[in-house]
Each structure stands twice: as C-alpha cells, then as structure tokens.
Amino acid sequence: MLQPSPAFMVTARPRALARWLFTVAALIVAMVVVGGITRLTNSGLSITEWKPITGIVPPLTQAQWQAEFDNYKRIPEYWTFNRDMTLAGFKAIFFWEYLHRVLGRVIGMAFALPLLWFWLRKAIPVGYKPRLLALLALGGLQGAIGWWMVASGLVDRTDVSHIRLTVHLLTALFILAGIVWTALDLRALHQDRLAAPARPTLLGAGAVLTLFVQLMFGALTAGLDAGYAFSSWPLMGDAWFPAGTPMMTPAIANAFDNPVVVQFIHRWFAFAAAAMLIWMASRTIRAGALRAGWLVVVLVLVQIGLGIATLLSGVQIDIAVTHQANAALLLIAATTCAHRLGSARRNHRVS
C-alpha cells in the first residue's frame, strides 16, 4: 500500500490551501456581482484605457477627473447616449468599472502571492502544482479577456460585444468551478492523506456542463439586453414565441445574436438545466451527502424564481444582480455535488 513520505507529512498543508482557495472563490463571487452591477448601470466603458499597474490609482485631482471624462467623451457610447452627462454623473459610472478592475487585481494578488508562499514553504501536495499554475494562468488570461471585451465598445459600437462579454463571464465561472473543485480535493486530502483527486462522473459532468450552457445563454441575454425584450411570463407578450420575429441567416446565428430567440432559449433551457441538476442532487442525497444535494435543489428553485422576477420587474437592478449572484452560488453547489459523486465513485462511499 502506498504511504505518504515523511517530507509530505511535515510540509504539505492541504487544509490551509483549501481554506485559501475557498477565500479566493468568495472574491470571485463578489467580482461576478460587481460585474453584473457594472453591466446593468452601463458603466463598463467609463475607463477607456488598460493600465494593469498604474490603473490601480484612481483620479485624485479635478484635472485628472476631467482628463478621464474627456477620454470617455471620445467614444461612441457618450455621443449616442450620454451627451448631457455631467462630471458627477461620469464619476458614478466610473466607480463601478474602477471597483470591478480593482477587484480583479485583488483576486490576482490573493491567488499569486499565497501560491508563491505555499510553494516556497513546500506546502503544496504532490501533483497539485500544475493545476494551481493552470488556474493562475487562466486568471491572467481573464484580465486580458476583460480588456478585449471593453475594447470592442470603444470604436465602432455603443456597447461591448455580447460574445466577448459571454467569454469573459464564462471564463470567470470556469475558474470559480476549478478553484472550488481543487479546494475540495485538498480538503479531502487533509482528511485522508492517501485520498486521490475526485474524478467527475458522467452525471456530474453532464449536469455541470448543462448549467454552463444555461449560464452562457444568461450572459448572451445580458450582453444583448434581451431581458428587456419581453417582461411577461410565461408568455412572451401574448404568445409562447412572438409571431413575426425577424430571423437571421444562417439560422444558427439566431441562437447567439437575436435577442428574442436568446431570451426564449434562456427561459426554457433553464428547466432542462434544472432537471439535470436536481437529478444529480438526488443521486448525491441517496449517496449520503444530504446537505450538498438539498442545497442544489434549493438554489435551483431560487434561481428560477429570480429569473422570472427579473423578467417581470423589467430587469430591476437589485433583482437581476441577485439572479446573477445566485447563479455563481449554484455553480459552487453543483460543483460540490459533482465532486461528492466523483469521490463516492472513487471510494465507493461519500465521506
């Protein structure tokens, strides 16, 4: 039987690493919430330059604020929608984009600096360094994707590309799921020094993948402002699908670029995602992990209710942001369920 080496027993600190990763995951949830507010308040194009280092310092003088405002005045969004905006109004939208970018930097430091510390202390268990480095690289890529998204709205458009916004959000959520899965593996390793990383089951992977598809259509709905198209439920206006909706060619483009079709898909694919998640949760409950399974069930029901409320309210900001925040929490809960199933398959039980 394999036994951990004495060096492993002395220096590896899987519980400390798990706690660190859960903290980073909480910061990412906060980032998703602030990102949603930034989008809903149309604040995302208020900062027109990407300064990864010096951008941490906000405008401090009246002249600096005026310079930032002048930069904003050069882009199409200002000339199309905000020509009567005052400097005070600009400061309000600048705040959310600035906070979003600062949180990104905080998350980067909260991941990179402890990782370096754990590495130098030889506290990272065998086999986990490549995974942690991959998550760090994805975090750096996410920063570049964020600027790639913003840049799409600075020249020929009055908003950012909905496709780039979707890539940006899904990358953040993929990183979130990866961090949570890794933290759960490390927590299991703390409880059992011979525990191997969990491997996804077909059901677990299928449920999480289905959730990601629904999250993709949620991001497209936000990017296209498709939530404003119809504010009724369950009908869209007076029909299940409004007659006379202009359709695009090729037909597949409608699923990504047509606001009416995107809202329709997001409305009804939600129930396919819910069915998969509840199926996974029921299997997790039967395996003995009641808390993890029931949490998914509750969050699924809350998410559907929030989605309907978002539509009926005409995309009221507080409801829409809560809907997005709950989606991130649901992803964490679903990842936990999938991990439990993977651990149960590995150990033939749920610990």
Side-chain angles (χ1 to χ4, degrees):
M1 180 182 294
L2 292 175
Q3 295 291 336
S5 69
F8 175 89
M9 295 294 288
V10 171
T11 64
R13 300 180 60 191
R15 181 170 64 174
L17 269 78
R19 288 175 173 174
W20 157 59
L21 290 176
F22 282 130
T23 300
V24 175
L27 288 172
I28 294 175
V29 173
M31 181 75 158
V32 169
V33 171
V34 173
I37 297 173
T38 302
R39 174 64 186 172
L40 289 164
T41 55
N42 296 312
S43 302
L45 294 176
S46 58
I47 302 178
T48 60
E49 296 177 311
W50 189 33
K51 299 176 180 178
I53 306 299
T54 60
I56 191 69
V57 181
L60 299 174
T61 67
Q62 186 71 11
Q64 290 173 340
W65 274 113
Q66 191 60 53
E68 288 287 347
F69 193 20
D70 289 342
N71 287 337
Y72 178 66
K73 289 179 178 179
R74 297 187 181 100
I75 69 172
E77 181 182 81
Y78 171 81
W79 288 105
T80 305
F81 299 114
N82 294 326
R83 294 181 67 176
D84 59 347
M85 177 176 281
T86 63
L87 181 60
F90 172 72
K91 288 181 178 180
I93 64 170
F94 183 96
F95 169 80
W96 288 111
E97 175 63 10
Y98 174 75
L99 180 59
H100 189 56
R101 295 193 187 197
V102 168
L103 262 177
R105 291 175 173 90
V106 169
I107 291 170
M109 290 187 291
F111 193 95
L113 296 181
L115 175 60
L116 178 61
W117 188 87
F118 284 124
W119 195 300
L120 294 176
R121 300 279 294 183
K122 302 185 186 304
I124 301 174
V126 174
Y128 283 86
K129 287 180 180 178
R131 199 192 308 189
L132 293 170
L133 286 175
L135 290 169
L136 177 64
L138 280 172
L141 177 63
Q142 174 70 342
I145 291 172
W147 175 246
W148 175 63
M149 177 190 70
V150 170
S152 68
L154 298 179
V155 180
D156 299 320
R157 300 172 55 102
T158 59
D159 58 359
V160 300
S161 162
H162 60 286
I163 299 296
R164 297 187 188 188
L165 181 146
T166 299
V167 173
H168 186 50
L169 179 58
L170 290 186
T171 303
L173 295 174
F174 181 80
I175 294 170
L176 175 62
I179 285 175
V180 170
W181 188 281
T182 302
L184 292 169
D185 274 344
L186 287 164
R187 189 170 68 180
L189 187 61
H190 167 71
Q191 296 167 349
D192 177 1
R193 293 286 180 160
L194 296 179
R199 293 184 177 275
T201 63
L202 185 61
L203 174 58
V208 173
L209 179 60
T210 304
L211 175 57
F212 263 96
V213 173
Q214 176 65 2
L215 293 170
M216 178 186 73
F217 281 108
L220 290 170
T221 298
L224 289 166
D225 290 327
Y228 298 99
F230 291 91
S231 58
S232 56
W233 177 268
L235 301 180
M236 299 176 74
D238 56 0
W240 292 104
F241 184 84
T245 299
M247 302 301 284
M248 300 176 176
T249 54
I252 190 63
N254 291 284
F256 301 96
D257 299 322
N258 188 323
V260 175
V261 176
V262 167
Q263 191 195 113
F264 178 83
I265 295 174
H266 189 52
R267 281 173 174 239
W268 299 112
F269 191 81
F271 292 94
M276 285 293 294
L277 289 167
I278 291 174
W279 182 14
M280 177 182 67
S282 67
R283 289 284 297 275
T284 308
I285 291 168
R286 286 202 300 271
L290 276 68
R291 185 168 58 181
W294 281 112
L295 182 59
V296 166
V297 173
V298 170
L299 289 175
V300 164
L301 296 177
V302 170
Q303 186 68 358
I304 291 174
L306 286 170
I308 295 171
T310 299
L311 284 174
L312 294 179
S313 69
V315 193
Q316 186 174 313
I317 288 181
D318 55 347
I319 299 174
V321 170
T322 305
H323 183 52
Q324 186 161 319
N326 194 75
L329 296 178
L330 177 56
L331 176 61
I332 292 173
T335 301
T336 302
C337 264
H339 187 275
R340 290 295 186 95
L341 290 179
S343 299
R345 183 178 68 175
R346 179 194 65 208
N347 300 323
H348 302 291
R349 62 183 176 84
V350 173
S351 57

